[in-house]
Amino acid sequence: MHNLAVFASGTGSNFEAIADACADGRLDARVALMVCDKPGAAVIAKAESRGIQTFVFNPKSYPSKAAYETEIVRLLNDAGVELICLAGYMRIIGDVLLKAYEGRIINIHPSLLPAFKGAHAVEDALAYGVKVLGVTIHYVNSELDGGRIIAQKAYEFDGDDAEEAHRIGHEIEHQLYVETIAKLIK
Ligand code: GAR
């Protein structure tokens, strides 16, 4: 049984997909800690209703990124976390966390990286007029949506309906994230 941490800032549908896969045995793992940098985010209630330990913090109440990451590393160590899965965590990981969990932090991003980095990847891709969208899972380094690619999945999309693109993209994300974590912890 492996201990995972999931970091999220918003809705938490990828968090749910991972937690569900742990609960029904598709992943030989448990979510030992959910970290959220947005007090009030929907993901918090989702973690609490599953009895998953949460660490919710406001970055502004800390003097620096190093200060809150030091606190996070302490909690990760206490929980025996082996792999950190960023799932819509909209914050660059700093040196403290990168050093403590080098090679053990992964992220999911809703584009075929290196195209369309950032917080509005689907909208940016649609505005560009691309006909193939996709999802990437990659190791995390100090750059925004940077780091070695682990898995990608593309889907054809013709049009400009961002809501529909997000719906299809999320379905792919949930499946690809669980499959990729399963391979990494094997
Ligand atoms: C996901 O689509 C994820 O790929 C994206 O945030 C969304 C979170 O959704 N991440 C990024 O854009 C990272 N740059 P969720 O809260 O429903 O899992």
Side-chain angles (χ1 to χ4, degrees):
M1 175 76 74
H2 299 270
N3 285 326
L4 309 175
V6 177
F7 287 30
S9 304
T11 313
S13 72
N14 280 283
F15 161 78
E16 277 187 301
I18 294 167
D20 287 352
C22 290
D24 68 21
R26 278 175 293 143
L27 285 175
D28 177 26
R30 57 191 277 270
V31 181
L33 184 66
M34 195 286 291
V35 172
C36 179
D37 64 328
K38 288 259 157 46
V43 67
I44 299 163
K46 290 175 180 166
E48 285 173 353
S49 70
R50 287 172 162 82
I52 290 171
Q53 189 195 343
T54 62
F55 175 60
V56 180
F57 69 104
N58 181 351
K60 290 195 182 116
S61 6
Y62 288 81
S64 62
K65 189 184 284 261
Y68 66 72
E69 287 197 344
T70 300
E71 176 73 4
I72 292 173
V73 168
R74 191 182 60 75
L75 291 165
L76 292 167
N77 287 335
D78 285 354
V81 167
E82 298 150 68
L83 180 70
I84 298 172
C85 306
L86 307 186
Y89 183 68
M90 297 309 200
R91 202 161 278 284
I92 301 262
I93 301 295
D95 287 347
V96 169
L97 200 43
L98 278 176
K99 214 169 268 171
Y101 274 81
E102 204 187 338
R104 296 187 294 157
I105 310 176
I106 62 175
N107 180 44
I108 189 156
H109 182 74
S111 79
L112 294 171
L113 289 173
F116 306 113
K117 297 181 176 187
H120 309 288
V122 170
E123 288 74 13
D124 293 347
L126 292 181
Y128 201 90
V130 302
K131 302 294 178 230
V132 178
L133 300 176
V135 170
T136 301
I137 296 169
H138 61 94
Y139 286 106
V140 169
N141 63 18
S142 56
E143 289 156 32
L144 174 72
D145 300 318
R148 189 158 62 82
I149 290 172
I150 306 166
Q152 285 187 312
K153 195 150 192 175
Y155 58 100
E156 288 182 20
F157 192 84
D158 200 0
D160 58 4
D161 184 347
E163 208 175 300
E164 177 68 356
H166 276 290
R167 194 191 59 72
I168 298 170
H170 268 102
E171 249 174 52
I172 293 173
E173 287 191 351
H174 300 160
Q175 203 177 343
L176 190 65
Y177 219 174
V178 169
E179 282 170 17
T180 303
I181 294 167
K183 282 184 193 154
L184 289 175
I185 64 177
K186 203 165 62 183

